[in-house]
Amino acid sequence: MRYAEGGGLTAERRAFREGIRLQAGMRFAAGEKTAVIAKDLRVSVRSVERWRRAWREGGMEGLRSTGPANAPTVTDAQFAVLEEELGKGPSAHGFDDERWTLARVQTLIRRRLRVSLSVATVWRLLKRHGWSWQAPARRALERDEHAVEVEEGGLATGKSLAAASGAWIVFEDEAGFSMTPPRARTWGRCGQTPVVRVRGRSRRRTSVAALCCYKPGEKSRLIHRPRNHLLLKGARRSFSWQDYRDLLVRAHIQLDGPIVVVWDNLNTHLATGLKRYEAEHDWLTTIRLPAYAPDLNPVEAVWSLVRRATANTAFGTPDDLDRTLRRELRRIQLRPHLVDSCLTATGLAINPPTPP
């Protein structure tokens, strides 16, 4: 806050300013000119003119302090009401989109609390109560939040079963990468947009399937499998169920234990051959994530790390792309704390089983 008492002058400062005004009042009575008084008291001419008008209307008493200004405030109880209204979203209050701006919050305060605040005061109010300007996360309109809560309960049950049986919890996801890298902000001279030269057309695409593996008492692991695709007519542009099967077998061998795979409802994950393979092997169990809930999969955070590291990279050949992907994935593999942070970003936690 600018002042010591939460937006107003201290008592000492009010007394000091009152003394200056009273000095000006005595010089008004002596007939001194406004410019001379302003120069001697080191204040603006406009302030002296305002004091002279007050002196003419009320004499010396008109120059005395009236106490601290009664600025409008929002109490903690009122802010709790405001926070509840903010949680309903801007569209619930008649705005066109889901953006809370300072002007909109100012309008909401005036409508709901009958208090008029400046935009600057609204900013200080929100900062004081732990609010900040953020980029929102996106959620699909088709997502059923109730189903997500139910599925999370089922997922927790599966994790408890895995912990009790000594199995690894394995999250799976896949992503595609092309010769055109993602764009990221960079410094440049004003008026001159920085340019990153990339391949205008590439008939090569690389898909990567990755597994984030967790087990209480063990270091987290990242296992991945790349697959190159030529963008030719009739060519397959994704992993087949046999590719997923081979990846799970590889994970079973490397982890040396049973695994519980958590993945989305991709049609390839639901293939008959993959279901048959699961039924024939007791070391493999699969759990489905809720529909439209990628935020529950830590592998999504792995892709974010990879894309952040490859942003603005000009790939000259497909081999450059493959080498960069392998390098970044290897970097994450060698840092188990990064794999742990990806799980933390989902809000899920894998705890060791409680002893009987």
Side-chain angles (χ1 to χ4, degrees), residues 44-336:
S44 66
V45 173
R46 295 184 61 182
S47 295
V48 176
E49 290 175 347
R50 186 173 65 254
W51 297 343
R52 189 183 289 274
R53 288 194 298 268
W55 174 76
R56 287 172 181 170
E57 295 175 0
M60 297 298 289
E61 291 299 323
L63 298 177
R64 294 191 181 277
S65 175
T66 58
N70 294 323
T73 59
V74 174
T75 64
D76 292 341
Q78 288 177 316
F79 188 84
V81 176
L82 174 63
E83 198 165 23
E84 182 178 353
E85 296 297 327
L86 292 173
K88 297 177 181 178
S91 59
H93 295 279
F95 298 107
D96 296 334
D97 52 53
E98 293 296 320
R99 292 184 306 144
W100 275 125
T101 63
L102 292 176
R104 291 182 176 183
V105 177
Q106 180 189 41
T107 302
L108 180 62
I109 292 174
R110 186 170 57 252
R111 291 177 183 173
R112 188 68 178 82
L113 304 181
R114 298 291 189 266
V115 177
S116 296
L117 300 179
S118 67
V119 172
T121 303
V122 172
W123 181 85
R124 290 194 294 267
L125 176 68
L126 294 177
K127 291 287 289 185
R128 186 164 64 248
H129 288 85
W131 285 64
S132 61
W133 181 256
Q134 304 177 37
R138 290 189 292 187
R139 294 286 184 270
L141 291 173
E142 299 86 352
R143 170 168 163 152
D144 186 350
E145 296 295 342
H146 176 69
V148 169
E149 294 178 2
V150 173
E151 290 292 342
E152 283 185 0
L155 181 60
T157 302
K159 290 189 296 184
S160 299
L161 175 63
S165 60
W168 286 78
I169 296 293
V170 176
F171 293 86
E172 190 279 336
D173 194 42
E174 56 285 325
F177 301 88
S178 68
M179 297 284 290
T180 303
R183 289 186 298 177
R185 294 180 181 271
T186 182
W187 285 99
R189 185 176 294 278
C190 293
Q192 298 180 8
T193 304
V195 176
V196 178
R197 299 191 178 276
V198 299
R199 288 287 181 182
R201 184 181 182 187
S202 173
R203 304 187 66 83
R204 174 76 176 272
R205 180 174 178 271
T206 299
S207 295
V208 181
L211 305 174
C212 283
C213 312
Y214 305 95
K215 182 180 178 181
E218 299 285 347
K219 285 186 178 181
S220 301
R221 306 278 292 276
L222 174 66
I223 301 174
H224 62 87
R225 184 185 186 93
R227 181 182 176 88
N228 297 324
H229 308 286
L230 292 177
L231 302 182
L232 300 176
K233 186 177 180 180
R236 187 178 182 89
R237 302 183 182 183
S238 61
F239 285 89
S240 64
W241 74 265
Q242 292 92 343
D243 294 325
Y244 289 117
R245 177 200 60 194
D246 296 342
L247 177 62
L248 297 179
V249 171
R250 177 182 171 185
H252 173 55
I253 295 173
Q254 291 190 14
L255 299 174
D256 192 23
I259 61 177
V260 176
V261 182
V262 185
W263 52 17
D264 56 25
N265 293 281
L266 185 68
N267 55 357
T268 311
H269 296 162
L270 305 176
T272 304
L274 198 55
K275 289 184 177 180
R276 186 185 306 115
Y277 185 83
E278 177 188 354
E280 294 172 354
H281 296 80
D282 56 0
W283 56 265
L284 176 61
T285 305
T286 61
I287 298 177
R288 311 295 173 188
L289 283 170
Y292 302 102
D295 52 298
L296 297 181
N297 196 332
V299 187
E300 292 286 348
V302 172
W303 303 142
S304 178
L305 292 174
V306 173
R307 290 192 172 95
R308 186 185 308 169
T310 59
N312 294 357
T313 302
F315 300 112
T317 64
D319 291 337
D320 291 339
L321 172 63
D322 294 342
R323 280 195 296 269
T324 302
L325 291 177
R326 286 197 299 268
R327 183 184 70 243
E328 293 306 323
L329 290 170
R330 180 60 176 167
R331 182 180 66 87
I332 299 174
Q333 281 181 321
L334 295 177
R335 294 166 173 80

Side-chain angles (χ1 to χ4, degrees), residues 13-32 37 41 43 47-48 50-52 54-56 58-66:
R13 191 64 182 174
R14 284 195 299 272
F16 173 77
R17 293 194 175 188
E18 182 185 54
I20 293 179
R21 292 194 298 272
L22 293 177
Q23 290 181 42
M26 290 186 291
R27 300 181 73 163
F28 295 154
E32 296 189 26
I37 298 174
L41 298 181
V43 296
S47 295
V48 176
R50 186 173 65 254
W51 297 343
R52 189 183 289 274
W55 174 76
R56 287 172 181 170
M60 297 298 289
E61 291 299 323
L63 298 177
R64 294 191 181 277
S65 175
T66 58

